[in-house]
Amino acid sequence: MTNPFFMDVSSLSLLEMKGIVDGSEDRKTRMKPLKEVSVDEVMAQAPLSVCEHIACILLLSYGPPNGAFTVPLTLSIVGYFVFGNIAKTFLWFFLLIFLPLAIIPQPYIKSTTESWISWVVIKYFSAKFISEVELSSQDRHIFVAPPHGVFPYGNVLAVLCFPTYFGFSFRGLASSMALRPPIFKQILRSIGIVDASRHIARKAIEEDGSIGISTGGVAEVFETNADDECVLLKERIGMIKLAIRTGSILVPCYLFGNTKLLNCWAGDGLPLNGKSYLETISRKIGFALILIYGRFGLPIPFRKPVVGVIGKGIQTRHLKCEDPTMEQVQEIQGLLLKEMQRIFDEYKHLYGWEDKKLIIK
């Protein structure tokens, strides 16, 4: 692609999306040169039927991360009003549902990304993508895609939409803590999310070709309420070393709107530097200790468009080695930070963020 191209994945029917993925339809007929796309088109919200809306709200309410709040609350209500015993309700849930789901392994099911519920999630967030380059499934890629927000819904959408936009899939990375709880594990692992540990990430690149990560992790959750967009990237050199070791193309991406899908209370106003302690504990356990709220004041994400921009890839093949020097890492990091800043500044107006700044820490 010599010029940026735009695709509104959320405007496709499920049959159209499947047809593009299996090759029976030409994806390029669904792409438009970005210069022909208006801001209104970028910000347009995909229509949902009542059934689709309800199904998506239920999935998002009880899936990660909101299920950490809604599942215990629902069990308490059902236990009190239906069974008359909250403790026994929790016990039966643990024995009949929680424990079996915790024990049974969840395989990666590629067809999940083309399922009805995945399509509905894409429509719920009105997912759209812009790319400046044509990517090949023959290359190895590491997609660096901030911001994390309260939860990286944008990264999940990228996993779901990539087969439609580019014709190949990639494996997303997540903390081991996010992949352990039942229900969370089933949802995330079924679409190909794997542990972000070094050896598993490398194995994913060598076997599947490409991976994607939201580098900020738990620490970046505590930056969500900032007026400007804030991403933690300067100290995240692990993925740069991994790119050099595997000769992968490092691809800067930005997911506009991801920080606006959920609000959170992250310790603001706590005395005695309480927010800092809360962040430290959260980073140690790998899970953000925050309160989440969205639509209707509940842990349900807002219906706001997520617009992913894929920037120009940074080659590392010429540096490929097992023990990259700090000079090599800093060289690639400088290019990554510069490109990340560029794509934010160049495309932020499409999201109505002309006055917003990107702060890279």
Side-chain angles (χ1 to χ4, degrees):
M1 297 180 187
T2 55
N3 296 303
F5 271 73
F6 169 86
M7 180 189 281
D8 182 355
V9 184
S10 66
S11 70
L12 301 173
S13 70
L14 181 56
L15 286 177
E16 288 171 334
M17 194 171 78
K18 287 184 174 182
I20 291 172
V21 172
D22 67 26
S24 60
E25 290 195 32
D26 186 358
R27 66 174 42 85
K28 291 189 177 180
T29 62
R30 299 295 181 172
M31 293 180 174
K32 292 177 64 174
L34 188 60
K35 61 185 178 182
E36 298 178 8
V37 179
S38 67
V39 173
D40 289 341
E41 192 172 352
V42 172
M43 297 302 293
Q45 198 171 81
L48 282 175
S49 68
V50 173
C51 177
E52 291 166 352
H53 211 137
I54 292 172
C56 202
I57 284 177
L58 288 173
L59 175 67
L60 295 171
S61 298
Y62 290 98
N66 307 313
F69 303 93
T70 55
V71 170
L73 178 61
T74 301
L75 289 174
S76 298
I77 293 172
V78 171
Y80 184 82
F81 290 104
V82 178
F83 299 113
N85 191 313
I86 294 175
K88 282 188 177 180
T89 302
F90 271 87
L91 178 61
W92 282 114
F93 175 80
F94 177 81
L95 293 176
L96 297 179
I97 299 176
F98 189 94
L99 196 57
L101 290 179
I103 295 172
I104 300 171
Q106 176 59 52
Y108 171 31
I109 306 171
K110 271 195 173 184
S111 60
T112 305
T113 60
E114 303 167 41
S115 65
W116 178 81
I117 192 63
S118 295
W119 171 67
V120 172
V121 170
I122 289 169
K123 290 176 67 178
Y124 184 92
F125 293 113
S126 303
K128 305 170 180 75
F129 285 85
I130 298 166
S131 180
E132 299 182 339
V133 294
E134 183 70 72
L135 301 177
S136 170
S137 60
Q138 302 304 311
D139 294 322
R140 292 176 173 177
H141 306 90
I142 298 179
F143 300 103
V144 182
H148 187 282
V150 173
F151 182 77
Y153 288 109
N155 303 78
V156 172
L157 290 168
V159 169
L160 299 180
C161 293
F162 243 64
T164 304
Y165 194 104
F166 285 113
F168 67 91
S169 58
F170 69 90
R171 307 297 290 270
L173 303 184
S175 69
S176 57
M177 184 64 182
L179 294 171
R180 286 174 187 163
I183 302 175
F184 292 17
K185 178 180 79 173
Q186 277 67 37
I187 293 173
L188 296 177
R189 287 195 180 277
S190 69
I191 62 172
I193 308 297
V194 296
D195 194 300
S197 62
R198 184 187 303 174
H199 72 282
I200 293 179
R202 179 159 186 170
K203 182 180 178 182
I205 290 179
E206 292 173 345
E207 292 183 354
D208 298 287
S210 296
I211 62 172
I213 184 170
S214 181
T215 52
V218 169
E220 202 172 282
V221 174
F222 290 84
E223 305 287 348
T224 300
N225 295 332
D227 293 331
D228 290 311
E229 294 281 279
C230 181
V231 301
L232 305 181
L233 200 53
K234 290 184 177 178
E235 296 181 5
R236 298 328 198 240
I237 62 173
M239 80 281 186
I240 297 174
K241 290 182 177 179
L242 182 60
I244 295 173
R245 286 173 180 142
T246 57
S248 302
I249 302 171
L250 204 60
V251 185
C253 310
Y254 202 86
L255 298 162
F256 289 91
N258 198 60
T259 55
K260 305 305 175 187
L261 300 179
L262 282 171
N263 296 321
C264 70
W265 177 81
D268 300 285
L270 285 177
L272 303 175
N273 204 24
K275 181 177 180 179
S276 178
Y277 288 119
L278 194 64
E279 181 179 349
T280 300
I281 295 171
S282 297
R283 293 178 72 168
K284 285 185 179 297
I285 65 174
F287 196 86
L289 298 175
I290 58 174
L291 295 178
I292 298 171
Y293 59 98
R295 296 178 72 182
F296 322 116
L298 299 172
I300 301 171
F302 294 109
R303 281 209 70 195
K304 294 188 177 181
V306 174
V307 181
V309 177
I310 298 97
K312 295 181 175 68
I314 300 165
Q315 291 285 351
T316 66
R317 194 175 296 139
H318 62 291
L319 299 175
K320 187 177 179 182
C321 64
E322 282 300 319
D323 296 302
T325 66
M326 187 52 63
E327 289 77 13
Q328 291 172 326
V329 171
Q330 289 173 344
E331 175 191 343
I332 299 300
Q333 184 185 49
L335 296 172
L336 174 65
L337 298 180
K338 183 178 179 180
E339 180 66 3
M340 191 69 72
Q341 187 71 59
R342 183 191 69 79
I343 60 175
F344 180 85
D345 291 339
E346 192 164 323
Y347 295 98
K348 65 181 181 180
H349 71 281
L350 291 172
Y351 206 81
W353 283 359
E354 291 88 346
D355 298 326
K356 272 194 183 292
K357 298 176 182 176
L358 174 63
I359 300 170
I360 302 178
K361 296 183 177 180

